[in-house]
Amino acid sequence: MWWFLAALGGGSLALAGRYFWDRRAAQRGDAEELEQIRKLADEDVTLLGEELRRLDTQVEGHPLDPDARADYQVALDAYEAAQRAATRIRAADGISSVTDTLATGRYAIVCVQARMRGEPVPERRVPCFFNPQHGPSTTDIVWTQPKVGTRTVPACAQDAARIGEGDQPKVRYVKCGSREIPYWEAGAAVTPYGQGYFAATAGMNFIPFAGFEPNTGRSFGWGHLEGPTGHDLGDEG
């Protein structure tokens, strides 16, 4: 009997050891994901700050009308709010509020620039799918990715032109292990990054992570545009 009890006790210790090992591994994984998310937030906030400095140069010596000044203030407020929110990220989904605020700031910058040129302000659209740092998209294009399929995605004017000429878009890459991959292939860890950028705008919601397997980054489909009824507007891949 004693050997049976010893074996039972040894099995329990092994199970307990495996539990704590798995728990530590999960904690390490969570910490790495959080570090990745914070890095993405910091990079995008920094880039908005650079865009505002360029806007400062553009408006210097050009009086702004009340609407342009209001848009300018929205952009400044968004930058400051995003800075504060980035420092408070304690979980991966915390980046959603940062990216949503950044999208507001970038749209406000576009509005200021349009007003300075005497043009109507553009429609508020979701950011460029290929890289949300590019700012609001200007059009929806049909894009085919080898081994994945074809979908309609929002794109900035520059990326739309590149694709129209047969070139590759300027994609936002993130680090996954030792590899650099498009952010939409990074799986569940980066999903909140897109959720803030691609919140419902003007009755249309772009879902860039709809076709990726959580926690693996393996793709079995990809993002699509939905109308107000939830109907997929993209081609079948």
Side-chain angles (χ1 to χ4, degrees):
M1 180 63 71
W2 65 268
W3 56 266
F4 173 76
L5 294 175
L8 184 62
S12 299
L13 288 173
L15 288 174
R18 179 61 183 271
Y19 168 78
F20 287 115
W21 174 267
D22 289 346
R23 184 177 179 182
R24 284 196 297 270
Q27 289 172 341
R28 286 195 298 272
D30 291 344
E32 291 172 358
E33 290 179 3
L34 183 57
E35 181 181 357
Q36 169 83 307
I37 284 293
R38 286 173 172 166
K39 184 173 184 291
L40 292 175
D42 289 341
E43 289 175 351
D44 285 18
V45 169
T46 298
L47 185 60
L48 180 60
E50 294 172 355
E51 292 173 9
L52 282 169
R53 284 192 288 275
R54 287 193 292 270
L55 183 63
D56 284 339
T57 302
Q58 293 169 8
V59 304
E60 187 175 358
H62 295 80
L64 300 179
D65 63 29
D67 289 333
R69 287 198 299 271
D71 288 331
Y72 203 162
Q73 190 60 52
V74 169
L76 292 172
D77 291 344
Y79 174 61
E80 293 177 359
Q83 280 184 309
R84 292 192 299 269
T87 63
R88 294 196 295 264
I89 294 177
R90 298 292 181 269
D93 59 4
I95 197 174
S96 293
S97 62
V98 178
T99 51
D100 177 63
T101 303
L102 291 170
T104 297
R106 290 198 179 100
Y107 174 67
I109 289 175
V110 170
C111 289
V112 172
Q113 293 168 333
R115 295 185 194 281
M116 288 178 59
R117 294 190 298 265
E119 300 173 356
V121 297
E123 171 192 7
R124 175 86 187 257
R125 290 175 52 92
V126 294
C128 176
F129 164 68
F130 301 105
N131 187 343
Q133 296 174 335
H134 293 170
S137 58
T138 59
T139 187
D140 300 324
I141 63 169
V142 176
W143 184 57
T144 300
Q145 188 177 20
K147 299 181 180 180
V148 178
T150 300
R151 283 290 183 269
T152 302
V153 298
C156 65
Q158 291 80 8
D159 277 335
R162 291 183 186 104
I163 292 172
E165 295 170 358
D167 294 331
Q168 293 299 313
K170 298 295 185 181
V171 172
R172 174 77 155 111
Y173 285 91
V174 298
K175 192 165 185 178
C176 184
S178 59
R179 298 183 302 142
E180 294 282 335
I181 63 174
Y183 75 94
W184 61 80
E185 292 183 4
V190 182
T191 297
Y193 176 75
Q195 287 176 334
Y197 274 132
F198 297 99
T201 301
M204 183 169 287
N205 187 31
F206 181 69
I207 308 174
F209 305 99
F212 291 96
E213 187 173 341
N215 302 318
T216 68
R218 292 194 297 269
S219 59
F220 56 86
W222 45 313
H224 58 278
L225 286 166
E226 282 190 353
T229 61
H231 175 65
D232 185 356
L233 302 179
D235 298 337
E236 292 301 324

